[in-house]
Amino acid sequence: MASEDITKLAESLAKTKVGGGQLSFKGQSLKLNTAEDAEEVIKQIEEFDGLEALRLEGNTVGVEAAKVIAKALEKKSELKRCHWSDMFTGRLRSEIPPALISLGDALITAGAQLVELDLSDNAFGPDGVRGFEALLKSPACYTLQELKLNNCGMGIGGGKILAAALKECHRKSSAQGKPLALKIFVAGRNRLENDGATALAEAFGIIGTLEEVHMPQNGINHPGITALAQAFAINSLLKVINLNDNTFTEKGAVAMAETLKSLRQIEVINFGDCLVRSKGAVAIADAVKEGLHKLKELNLSFCEIKRDAALTVAEAIEDKAELEKLDLNGNCLGEEGCEQLQEILEGFNMASVLGSLSDDEGEEEDDEEEEEEEEEEEEEEEEEEQQQLKERGQGEQDSLTPKKIIESQDSTPVPSPPVDVATFLAFPSPEKLLRLGPKCSVLIAQQTDTSDVEKVVTALLRISSVFKDEAPVKTAVHETTDALMRKAFTSATFNSDAFVTRLLIHMGLLKSEEKIKTVPSLYGILMTLNHMVQQDYFPKSLAPVLTAFVTKPNRALDSCSFARHMLLQTLHQL
């Protein structure tokens, strides 16, 4: 390490905060690649007697540096809190698991008894969960009370690994007479979806001691919400439930409302942007009215709730003396409905708890209501179809015993309806893509007019919308994308600049004078682009354009930060 680098590091470390058993390197932007880079950090750790909390947030730790830091931690048996969020900035995804394994093994060797583990904002994906799986199963985590994994890109696979590790930790700790008593669980922005959420719900039901659960922006629909509701009912000490920006629909909302009736300690309910709709809102209002006397905050914003249902919610909080905030913004009350809502709360002397209604969508007409119900029915049918696929594909995940194989041969298979390219592109789903067969990539490429940029963009967005981390679907999406885009980019008549412009417009990253409906989630297209830009057919001249727009601040991109990080990292390496 150069002398000027050592001086800079020494100056940063001079700002290190020490006190109350805590050693903090938070936000110092230290770049620790080698053992030499980490020498001063190690010295601080080794010389700190009674180390109880170590903060490494806002730095970047490589594999070699992690190994030597881990060596220093092997003697820190009193360590209880690991604040290790955002500590792998700029690292390759493959570097993170070995670094986590080294640090985790050190804690196990030290005989530490952790109370808090925070690994948020580390884009490690499903493989990263393997990096701290052994730690979670070890005696070091039998005492764990707070587990924070926000914005880590775990995906369904990572969620399942995490759930299994938590169940194993509970089993082992229970055998020693001191069961795992986790209180706070945070895992927002992880694309857990239904399967990941359902796996975690099983773990929550076994643990039973949760007080706060934060799982916003995970692509969870009503099957996953229902599973979580059933698990929450067992966790009678729950105070905070934050499931913002998932998709309840009426089924999920009703299931959650039933659970709320049995929870007496609830203080915060955040179901904002969860599409609970009017019937779901009424069910939740009934639960609030029956109990929840400690309720401080109720967020049902942007949920497509109509006037009468919103007024029912307002009436339900009449005797909630501790309520501080009611958020019903972004729903469909209309001007008159907003006034009525305010009048009801003024009558209870609770007008001050009502949040802003500035984004109210206005009162909808009956024909819009009918369209809404039709959309919900289609959505539920789609979910049921995907669930059937998962059930049929269960054998790929579980080892089949001879008995199971025999039973499966004896049973009469239910034939699936045929799928063609037009059907898939009109109503895309992972199941339909797989049912197109091994020639799906060729078929879609053949039947897409690549001389029409708009048709190519539409086809690409439909294909990428079904992207999942699961191998069969991921492979099918990649192969189909390659066939389509190779055909397009190698065509003499294809306008690459027009293509990227139209794509950015449909992604909501570039404004257009036309009224175009943007894609609801950017996760699939970002992950697909991450694959596409690495292929030989992709014009490298387009990389700077993509980089510029994906780098810009954007709410839709913020909700897919893992996929965004992956794409930007790949683009920078081109």
Side-chain angles (χ1 to χ4, degrees):
M1 180 183 285
S3 59
E4 58 268 24
D5 292 334
I6 294 174
T7 303
K8 185 178 178 182
L9 180 58
E11 289 173 353
S12 294
L13 291 172
K15 302 175 185 175
T16 300
K17 296 179 181 178
V18 178
Q22 174 175 285
L23 178 60
S24 175
F25 301 96
K26 182 178 180 180
Q28 294 184 20
S29 301
L30 302 175
K31 295 181 180 179
L32 309 178
N33 298 316
T34 65
E36 186 181 5
D37 293 341
E39 281 180 359
E40 289 295 326
V41 173
I42 294 165
K43 183 181 178 183
Q44 294 271 3
I45 293 172
E46 289 177 339
E47 293 179 354
F48 196 110
D49 292 329
L51 180 63
E52 293 184 6
L54 178 61
R55 307 196 77 105
L56 292 173
E57 311 105 304
N59 299 290
T60 178
V61 182
V63 176
E64 188 178 340
K67 286 181 180 178
V68 291
I69 292 173
K71 195 70 178 174
L73 291 175
E74 287 181 357
K75 297 178 182 178
K76 301 299 175 181
S77 60
E78 296 178 14
L79 188 61
K80 291 180 173 62
R81 297 184 182 275
C82 296
H83 302 279
W84 294 349
S85 63
D86 188 24
M87 60 178 264
F88 297 111
T89 303
R91 298 290 167 187
L92 294 174
R93 185 167 162 181
S94 59
E95 291 181 86
I96 302 176
L100 288 173
I101 289 170
S102 296
L103 294 167
D105 287 348
L107 298 178
I108 297 170
T109 301
Q113 293 186 315
L114 295 185
V115 173
E116 179 179 359
L117 177 61
D118 186 355
L119 292 170
S120 299
D121 300 315
N122 290 310
F124 47 58
D127 294 339
V129 185
R130 293 286 188 196
F132 60 93
E133 179 185 16
L135 173 63
L136 279 181
K137 294 179 179 179
S138 76
C141 285
Y142 290 178
T143 50
L144 196 63
Q145 294 180 15
E146 301 180 29
L147 180 58
K148 300 173 181 177
L149 300 166
N150 199 57
N151 191 30
C152 292
M154 290 190 290
I156 295 172
K160 289 181 177 180
I161 296 167
L162 176 61
L166 288 172
K167 288 191 289 185
E168 183 69 2
C169 180
H170 186 273
R171 185 187 68 79
K172 288 182 175 180
S173 57
S174 297
Q176 293 193 4
K178 294 183 178 180
L180 171 67
L182 192 66
K183 293 181 179 180
I184 298 174
F185 180 83
V186 181
R189 294 185 178 181
N190 271 292
R191 298 298 304 177
L192 294 170
E193 300 184 26
N194 289 333
D195 285 2
T198 301
L200 285 166
E202 187 177 339
F204 296 162
I206 292 170
I207 294 169
T209 56
L210 289 167
E211 295 180 11
E212 295 185 21
V213 175
H214 302 264
M215 296 174 66
Q217 295 184 6
N218 270 299
I220 308 170
N221 298 326
H222 75 78
I225 296 298
T226 301
L228 287 171
Q230 292 167 350
F232 291 165
I234 300 169
N235 289 263
S236 59
L237 300 177
L238 267 173
K239 296 178 181 178
V240 178
I241 301 177
N242 176 7
L243 294 174
N244 188 285
D245 200 6
N246 289 292
T247 307
F248 282 42
T249 63
E250 182 186 339
K251 286 185 179 180
V254 169
M256 194 61 70
E258 283 301 309
T259 286
L260 290 174
K261 291 177 182 178
S262 65
L263 298 176
R264 300 301 175 189
Q265 306 301 319
I266 287 289
E267 296 178 3
V268 177
I269 298 171
N270 186 344
F271 296 160
D273 206 9
C274 281
L275 207 65
V276 303
R277 294 193 171 125
S278 295
K279 291 181 180 178
V282 169
I284 291 169
D286 288 344
V288 171
K289 192 170 185 176
E290 285 186 23
L292 307 189
H293 295 292
K294 295 184 179 182
L295 188 63
K296 294 180 179 179
E297 181 178 336
L298 175 59
N299 185 347
L300 294 174
S301 60
F302 299 93
C303 281
E304 295 190 8
I305 300 169
K306 305 241 176 103
R307 180 180 62 181
D308 291 347
L311 299 181
T312 301
V313 172
E315 290 166 352
I317 66 167
E318 180 179 3
D319 62 345
K320 306 301 174 240
E322 296 189 30
L323 192 71
E324 299 171 359
K325 183 177 180 181
L326 172 64
D327 193 345
L328 288 168
N329 197 20
N331 286 301
C332 310
L333 281 66
E335 187 175 343
E336 184 180 343
C338 290
E339 291 175 358
Q340 289 177 321
L341 182 64
Q342 289 165 335
E343 287 173 5
I344 289 173
L345 294 176
E346 285 171 1
F348 300 156
N349 197 27
M350 296 177 72
S352 61
V353 306
L354 182 62
S356 169
L357 297 172
S358 59
D359 293 318
D360 186 73
E361 295 288 340
E363 198 164 6
E364 292 185 349
E365 301 296 331
D366 289 343
D367 59 340
E368 291 179 319
E369 182 175 1
E370 290 174 2
E371 289 177 7
E372 175 185 90
E373 291 174 353
E374 288 173 2
E375 288 173 2
E376 182 172 356
E377 289 171 1
E378 289 175 2
E379 177 184 70
E380 291 175 355
E381 288 171 1
E382 183 76 4
E383 289 169 359
E384 289 170 1
E385 185 179 54
Q386 292 186 28
Q387 188 62 32
Q388 289 169 2
L389 171 66
K390 291 167 188 170
E391 291 170 357
R392 287 197 295 271
Q394 191 64 39
E396 294 175 8
Q397 299 174 12
D398 300 331
S399 58
L400 289 174
T401 62
K403 181 179 179 182
K404 287 180 180 177
I405 293 171
I406 292 169
E407 288 175 349
S408 67
Q409 290 173 342
D410 289 343
S411 60
T412 303
V414 178
S416 299
V419 174
D420 56 21
V421 171
T423 302
F424 166 74
L425 292 176
F427 304 101
S429 73
E431 180 186 19
K432 288 173 186 169
L433 181 61
L434 294 176
R435 275 166 44 202
L436 280 171
K439 293 184 178 180
C440 64
S441 58
V442 177
L443 292 171
I444 290 176
Q446 285 177 343
Q447 296 184 39
T448 302
D449 180 5
T450 52
S451 65
D452 187 328
V453 167
E454 188 68 21
K455 289 181 179 177
V456 174
V457 170
T458 301
L460 177 62
L461 290 171
R462 296 292 173 86
I463 295 163
S464 64
S465 71
V466 306
F467 178 90
K468 285 191 173 186
D469 286 321
E470 297 168 3
V473 177
K474 183 178 180 179
T475 301
V477 169
H478 286 172
E479 290 178 351
T480 307
T481 298
D482 289 342
L484 173 66
M485 298 314 302
R486 188 182 299 278
K487 178 186 175 184
F489 284 127
T490 55
S491 170
T493 58
F494 188 69
N495 188 328
S496 299
D497 292 333
F499 164 78
V500 77
T501 299
R502 299 303 297 175
L503 179 61
L504 290 168
I505 289 171
H506 281 277
M507 291 173 69
L509 305 183
L510 182 62
K511 290 183 179 179
S512 170
E513 293 180 0
E514 306 170 61
K515 190 173 182 180
I516 291 178
K517 186 176 181 181
T518 57
V519 293
S521 171
L522 294 181
Y523 180 78
I525 184 59
L526 289 173
M527 294 301 286
T528 303
L529 283 171
N530 184 55
H531 166 80
M532 195 172 96
V533 299
Q534 300 177 63
Q535 308 310 310
D536 57 5
Y537 59 74
F538 181 78
K540 298 300 183 279
S541 60
L542 299 181
V545 181
L546 282 176
T547 302
F549 281 92
V550 177
T551 305
K552 285 184 178 180
N554 184 286
R555 184 181 176 186
L557 286 171
D558 289 342
S559 65
C560 302
S561 55
F562 169 72
R564 179 191 205 177
H565 170 81
M566 291 289 291
L567 176 56
L568 285 174
Q569 184 172 271
T570 302
L571 287 168
H572 286 311
Q573 292 171 356
L574 291 178

